[in-house]
Amino acid sequence: MKAYRLLTEDDTSAFCHKVTEALNKGWELHGSPSYAYDHGTGKMRCAQAVIKEAEGEYSPDVKLGGL
């Protein structure tokens, strides 16, 4: 199965750590990162899509963070 996740976080080092952790767990970058202003919090937010080929069949119950 091919898995997809969209990682998001405020524009701090926490976002870079989140993406780095995913890469070290075998996820691959998919497309370009996004950067936008969140009017609700008054902060900039980052997003990066990642994909991973994983064993098994897809189900909505799959915990993507655990792959």
Side-chain angles (χ1 to χ4, degrees):
M1 115 175 118
K2 186 170 281 200
Y4 169 91
R5 293 174 66 197
L6 182 64
L7 305 175
T8 62
E9 185 68 51
D10 287 346
D11 182 22
T12 66
S13 63
F15 175 73
C16 295
H17 287 286
K18 186 181 279 191
V19 174
T20 299
E21 179 182 22
L23 294 173
N24 281 282
K25 289 183 175 181
W27 292 84
E28 297 180 23
L29 299 177
H30 183 72
S32 299
S34 295
Y35 192 63
Y37 183 72
D38 182 339
H39 290 279
T41 65
K43 297 180 182 179
M44 295 300 291
R45 299 275 299 170
C46 301
Q48 174 65 58
V50 292
I51 57 173
K52 182 178 187 178
E53 194 66 42
E55 301 226 358
E57 297 283 324
Y58 170 72
S59 162
D61 298 325
V62 171
K63 301 295 184 202
L64 298 172
L67 294 179

